[in-house]
């Protein structure tokens, strides 16, 4: 075991969800530990950002476009990328459907939430991680540090306090909660089934500050012991712990990174 147990030099970390804010922070943190980074997302990666990672940290990067709602495409692209990069040591299932498409019936009242949006959320947030984990399993078993890290949500473990959303135009869809709750339980299931070869863990972030309605922010902060909303960088420490040898005896866990929001 290396002296620095967070050292991931030469390992390949594959991140779905591409170069969104969380993806960038996860990639930067892993690159600082020496990991090579592969992005899989529905849109093309920011090549300038990849070049910066390569130059600053002396790592390799790779990217590919991926339709997470299409099983055949997931499997096809996975094997194409594997042929290019040669290995996968950590799979981070970070992609999430959050209603940013033109589908109706998402962030509305429960009575108005639609089954099309429900199915889309489950396909991306739960079915895709299942397919990716299944496809990656034989290759992760070949790694000396094979791990799967799922990015869940506090709304996969607790119910929403709808008082926070009053007069904001914001919502909290059932499909998001159900899909993230399913992902947390899939984590536990995989941890037992894939042991001892592959560790499987989950991180459940709390609310991330993204220019929400000030009324929501104020109410959320007042309800949070650490008195602020989270930022993407808050997730990185837990991710590095669970992806590196520093977390070699941790599996089947859901680490909640929410400033204490869920302790009440």
């Amino acid at each position: 075991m290396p002296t620095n147990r967070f050292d991931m030099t030469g390992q390949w970390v594959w991140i779905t969800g591409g170069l969104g804010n969380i993806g960038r922070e996860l990639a930067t943190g892993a690159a600082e530990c020496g990991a090579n980074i592969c992005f899989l997302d529905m849109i093309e990666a920011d090549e300038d950002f990849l070049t910066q990672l390569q130059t600053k940290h002396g790592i390799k990067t790779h990217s590919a476009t991926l339709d997470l709602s299409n099983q055949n495409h997931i499997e096809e692209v996975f094997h194409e990328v594997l042929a290019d990069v040669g290995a996968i040591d950590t799979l981070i299932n970070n992609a999430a459907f959050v209603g940013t498409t033109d589908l109706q019936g998402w962030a509305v009242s429960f009575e108005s939430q639609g089954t099309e949006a429900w199915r889309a959320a489950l396909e991306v947030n739960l079915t895709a991680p299942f397919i990716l984990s299944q496809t990656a399993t034989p290759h992760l078993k070949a790694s000396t540090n094979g791990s799967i890290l799922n990015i869940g949500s506090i709304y996969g473990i607790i119910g929403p306090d709808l008082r926070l959303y009053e007069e904001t135009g914001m919502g909290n869809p059932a499909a998001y909660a159900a899909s993230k709750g399913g992902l947390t339980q899939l984590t536990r299931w995989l941890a037992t089934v894939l042991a001892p070869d592959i560790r499987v863990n989950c991180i459940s972030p709390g609310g991330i500050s993204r220019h929400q309605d000030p009324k929501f922010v104020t109410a959320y902060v007042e309800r949070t012991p650490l008195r602020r909303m989270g930022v993407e960088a808050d997730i990185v420490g837990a991710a590095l712990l669970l992806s590196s040898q520093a977390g070699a005896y941790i599996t089947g866990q859901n680490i909640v990174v929410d400033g204490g929001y869920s302790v009440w």
Side-chain angles (χ1 to χ4, degrees):
M1 184 176 293
T3 302
N4 178 0
R5 298 186 183 190
F6 287 91
D7 183 3
M8 300 169 68
T9 301
Q11 296 185 39
W12 275 98
V13 174
W14 293 26
I15 305 173
T16 67
L19 291 174
N21 291 338
I22 290 180
R24 284 176 179 265
E25 292 292 342
L26 292 172
T28 300
E32 289 172 352
C33 293
N36 302 313
I37 306 297
C38 176
F39 287 106
L40 304 173
D41 195 20
M42 62 184 297
I43 59 176
E44 293 185 3
D46 182 344
E47 293 299 328
D48 289 338
F49 177 72
L50 298 183
T51 299
Q52 291 173 16
L53 288 181
Q54 295 170 10
T55 302
K56 184 174 182 178
H57 303 292
I59 65 163
K60 300 176 183 178
T61 64
H62 191 86
S63 66
T65 55
L66 179 65
D67 181 358
L68 288 169
S69 65
N70 185 318
Q71 178 173 354
N72 291 333
H73 195 241
I74 290 174
E75 294 172 345
E76 178 184 349
V77 171
F78 184 97
H79 291 296
E80 287 177 355
V81 172
L82 187 67
D84 289 335
V85 306
I88 175 172
D89 299 284
T90 295
L91 169 65
I92 301 181
N93 288 310
N94 172 56
F97 179 88
V98 292
T100 53
T101 73
D102 58 358
L103 287 177
Q104 300 299 308
W106 181 247
V108 293
S109 68
F110 176 62
E111 293 88 345
S112 301
Q113 291 176 28
T115 55
E116 188 177 3
W118 169 277
R119 291 189 180 98
L122 264 66
E123 282 296 316
V124 174
N125 296 355
L126 186 55
T127 303
F130 167 80
I131 296 169
L132 282 161
S133 299
Q134 188 178 58
T135 306
T137 288
H139 310 288
L140 290 171
K141 285 183 177 180
S143 170
T144 58
N145 187 40
S147 69
I148 297 171
L149 178 57
N150 297 317
I151 305 299
S153 167
I154 56 168
Y155 291 123
I157 60 172
I158 63 173
D161 182 348
L162 293 182
R163 293 171 297 182
L164 276 61
Y165 298 85
E166 293 176 354
E167 300 179 359
T168 66
M170 299 170 62
N172 194 300
Y176 184 79
S179 60
K180 290 300 187 178
L183 187 61
T184 303
Q185 182 58 21
L186 178 63
T187 297
R188 300 185 185 101
W189 190 91
L190 288 173
T192 63
V193 172
L194 300 183
D197 303 300
I198 302 170
R199 295 181 298 105
V200 188
N201 292 289
C202 185
I203 295 175
S204 288
I208 301 296
S209 179
R210 288 176 179 161
H211 308 292
Q212 292 95 335
D213 188 299
K215 291 182 179 178
F216 172 84
V217 174
T218 298
Y220 191 96
V221 168
E222 288 179 352
R223 195 186 184 285
T224 305
L226 292 189
R227 292 295 186 267
R228 68 174 176 87
M229 294 195 72
V231 295
E232 286 82 0
D234 290 326
I235 303 169
V236 175
L240 295 179
L241 168 65
L242 297 175
S243 302
S244 67
Q245 284 294 328
Y249 201 55
I250 302 174
T251 196
Q253 302 305 305
N254 177 38
I255 295 183
V256 181
V257 182
D258 69 349
Y261 181 94
S262 61
V263 303
W264 299 113

